[in-house]
Amino acid sequence: MSEPLRFLNTLSRRTEPFEPIEPGHVRLYTCGPTVYDFAHIGNLRTFLFEDVLRRTLAASGHRVTQVMNLTDIDDKTIRGAAAEGISLRAYTDRYIEAFFADLDTLRVERAEHYPRATEFIPQMVELVERLSARGHTYVQDGSTYFRISTFPAYGRLSGIDPDQVRPGARVDSDEYEKEDVRDFVLWKAAKPGEPAWDSALGPGRPGWHLECSAMAMTLLGESLDIHTGGVDNIFPHHENEIAQSEAATGKPFVRTWLHAEHLIVEGQKMAKSLGNFFTLRDLLERGHDPVAIRYLLVSVPYRQKLNFTFDGLHAAAAGIERIGNTLRRLAYTPAATADGALAAADVDVAIAEFDAALADDLNTARSLGAVHSLLTRINQALDGAGIDAAARARVDAAFARVAAVLDIVPVRAGRSAEDEAIDALVAERTAARKGKDFARSDAIRAELAARGIILDDTPHGTVWHRKS
Ligand code: AMP
Ligand code: ZN
């Protein structure tokens, strides 16, 4: 990818050219799941945005070191484990395993590090000690709080006005609203029935915000290139991460902040109470194809809300079907011997448009537009004079790029077992026709038609595609 990357930075509110601090190497921190339940498709939308980001950075020649934390201790995980009467570890292990299974189903590339918060407690304690040494904390009833009036830049990311804060007002919960801006807890005093660690701060456990600052700086250094999350993370989570990290180090914590907008369902916020709450499992049980789910969730640029509908999911399935049908048709058609009807240079224009769209703050909708225009041109060429070997090689390069970044090409490597079974039936039909066994050949055609497979008898033999 030759196009320079540009991102809309939440912190500066501007679209800026992207350059990592260390040339060629991107340090990326992506807030991970709170492992208290199965991820819903809204969470997965954010993780897919981060997957496309990581793959785009790699395609443009960067080495990427990505960290995604697993929040295995916070108010929600503790409540869930207590409700079932099992250990926090047993409870969170179940959802961590489910989370990785979901990532694999959706073809999400693995990050380099998945730290569990409970494995970084000493680093969290040390960060609080650094903050205390610099006068940013106070202790009340055994808990340590960050005094936000000691950090003048507080509010820069989210745009809140720190002057609204009543001095001394504090908050202990991990999540709270903008209207509620207060000193926040770094280390919570041990409570009966809650897991606790003995530490120089007294027995207790970390607050959620502290976890991400400590893991990010331990694994990636004190200044990172990119930090991401959903828009709900901007306040208070990311605002507090900046305060804790910069107050401790005196260095800028993150250069570029990227936030994905929310997924909504049929125009409404996704909520368990509305009955419109879906996990990946729910959609798979209803028979939906994971690649179609991936296609739908990446198809809307991350800065826009994504309205999840079943019509949209069917349209996504039709989109990948079209890619599969065209690539299959191409595979079955011999290269044109003379100049074909598709110029290699035109395919390169399509690749350049695909890259330019992604370089433009990950405009995935525009990049998919480039893919579909290319499919139209390929089909037109196959209807006409065909595609010569030079253009064919460029088409292969184009779809290798689409597979590397968006990964929505239905068959990844080789072909599926179902494709092989269809091939076998088509070959059997060809043999039957040769032997003038038309009853058998008609029966095979009918059987395939019932499965949505359409046969075309061409001068080069029989090719098949799925009915779209
Ligand atoms: P959580 O497991 O609640 O910590 O969330 C994991 C990630 O999903 C965070 O980056 C959230 O910002 C993001 N997220 C939560 N709800 C939604 C939603 N409806 N749409 C998109 N992303 C979301
Ligand atoms: Zn985080």
Side-chain angles (χ1 to χ4, degrees):
M1 243 170 107
S2 52
E3 193 85 15
L5 303 179
R6 295 184 308 286
F7 295 120
L8 176 54
N9 186 349
T10 310
L11 184 61
S12 68
R13 292 151 180 82
R14 283 200 309 264
T15 301
E16 299 165 348
F18 174 72
E19 276 302 329
I21 299 165
E22 177 192 335
H25 180 198
V26 181
R27 293 179 172 83
L28 169 65
Y29 189 87
T30 48
C31 278
T34 306
V35 282
Y36 75 108
D37 200 348
F38 297 112
H40 59 61
I41 55 170
N43 303 135
L44 293 169
R45 189 232 177 157
T46 295
F47 301 135
L48 282 168
F49 137 65
E50 288 153 352
D51 185 51
V52 171
L53 169 64
R54 164 189 176 86
R55 289 163 177 261
T56 301
L57 290 164
S60 63
H62 297 91
R63 177 161 81 85
V64 179
T65 304
Q66 179 189 357
V67 176
M68 177 174 279
N69 64 292
L70 303 169
T71 302
D72 64 350
I73 175 156
D74 81 320
D75 299 346
K76 290 190 277 198
T77 46
I78 291 172
R79 251 198 321 267
E84 284 193 28
I86 58 176
S87 72
L88 189 64
R89 184 82 191 200
Y91 181 77
T92 55
D93 271 350
R94 182 200 304 159
Y95 295 110
I96 289 175
E97 196 182 313
F99 173 67
F100 284 116
D102 286 353
L103 295 189
D104 289 345
T105 304
L106 290 176
R107 302 181 171 185
V108 173
E109 265 183 19
R110 290 291 165 101
E112 282 62 32
H113 304 276
Y114 288 100
R116 298 173 72 121
T118 50
E119 287 170 359
F120 285 75
I121 304 288
Q123 290 86 343
M124 294 170 197
V125 170
E126 194 204 314
L127 182 56
V128 177
E129 288 177 322
R130 276 170 88 181
L131 288 167
S132 299
R134 299 181 85 158
H136 294 288
T137 67
Y138 58 92
V139 177
Q140 193 81 44
D141 303 329
S143 293
T144 306
Y145 295 86
F146 186 94
R147 193 189 297 278
I148 60 180
S149 61
T150 64
F151 185 69
Y154 195 84
R156 242 177 51 200
L157 181 73
S158 60
I160 58 119
D161 177 3
D163 293 341
Q164 298 167 354
V165 185
R166 283 175 293 130
R170 356 175 256 289
V171 54
D172 281 279
S173 58
D174 284 332
E175 286 170 280
Y176 49 94
E177 301 298 321
K178 269 193 185 182
E179 298 70 53
D180 230 15
V181 40
R182 285 180 279 172
D183 292 343
F184 60 91
V185 72
L186 296 164
W187 186 259
K188 302 193 197 198
K191 282 199 204 128
E194 284 196 355
W197 283 261
D198 276 325
S199 79
L201 308 169
R205 58 146 171 132
W208 172 41
H209 315 297
L210 180 71
E211 298 176 6
C212 279
S213 286
M215 291 186 279
M217 294 198 291
T218 302
L219 293 167
L220 294 171
E222 293 180 344
S223 293
L224 335 178
D225 295 300
I226 304 178
H227 192 318
T228 65
V231 285
D232 56 305
N233 289 153
I234 298 174
F235 187 88
H237 187 48
H238 291 165
E239 196 68 67
N240 291 351
E241 276 189 48
I242 295 174
Q244 298 159 151
S245 309
E246 299 192 355
T249 67
K251 294 181 193 158
F253 176 44
V254 172
R255 278 201 178 173
T256 306
W257 286 90
L258 305 180
H259 291 100
E261 253 300 346
H262 277 166
L263 176 138
I264 52 178
V265 179
E266 309 276 358
Q268 282 182 306
K269 188 178 188 305
M270 186 165 62
K272 277 186 177 156
S273 57
L274 295 172
N276 63 357
F277 178 95
F278 296 112
T279 62
L280 180 57
R281 273 136 238 268
D282 296 333
L283 298 182
L284 298 178
E285 270 166 26
R286 290 172 177 227
H288 295 286
D289 172 7
V291 189
I293 299 167
R294 177 177 172 98
Y295 185 114
L296 175 64
L297 295 181
V298 304
S299 65
V300 175
Y302 76 97
R303 290 269 178 189
Q304 291 174 25
K305 284 198 172 62
L306 191 160
N307 186 18
F308 175 85
T309 64
F310 283 96
D311 282 350
L313 189 50
H314 291 132
I320 57 166
E321 205 57 51
R322 185 166 183 245
I323 298 173
N325 280 337
T326 306
L327 294 185
R328 234 180 335 262
R329 197 178 166 202
L330 197 60
Y332 278 113
T333 312
T337 40
D339 278 354
L342 181 67
D346 287 347
V347 184
D348 286 336
V349 170
I351 300 177
E353 166 60 12
F354 178 82
D355 287 351
L358 288 164
D360 178 16
D361 198 29
L362 306 181
N363 191 335
T364 47
R366 202 180 124 200
S367 71
L368 282 170
V371 173
H372 281 284
S373 319
L374 179 60
L375 291 172
T376 302
R377 301 196 63 158
I378 292 169
N379 281 308
Q380 282 167 350
L382 291 174
D383 290 341
I387 298 181
D388 59 39
R392 182 57 207 273
R394 301 311 300 147
V395 169
D396 290 346
F399 282 94
R401 169 75 99 224
V402 175
V405 182
L406 297 183
D407 210 350
I408 41 123
V409 177
V411 179
R412 260 199 288 193
R415 308 173 61 247
S416 69
E418 199 205 343
D419 289 349
E420 302 294 340
I422 295 168
D423 284 351
L425 279 173
V426 170
E428 190 187 335
R429 175 174 169 272
T430 304
R433 281 186 358 141
K434 269 209 185 112
K436 306 233 182 298
D437 181 356
F438 296 114
R440 179 67 190 140
S441 77
D442 287 350
I444 293 173
R445 179 187 276 276
E447 184 193 330
L448 289 172
R451 286 159 64 176
I453 307 299
I454 310 297
L455 303 182
D456 293 313
D457 294 315
T458 77
H460 312 295
T462 303
V463 298
W464 61 267
H465 67 272
R466 289 193 169 83
K467 196 161 88 191
S468 37

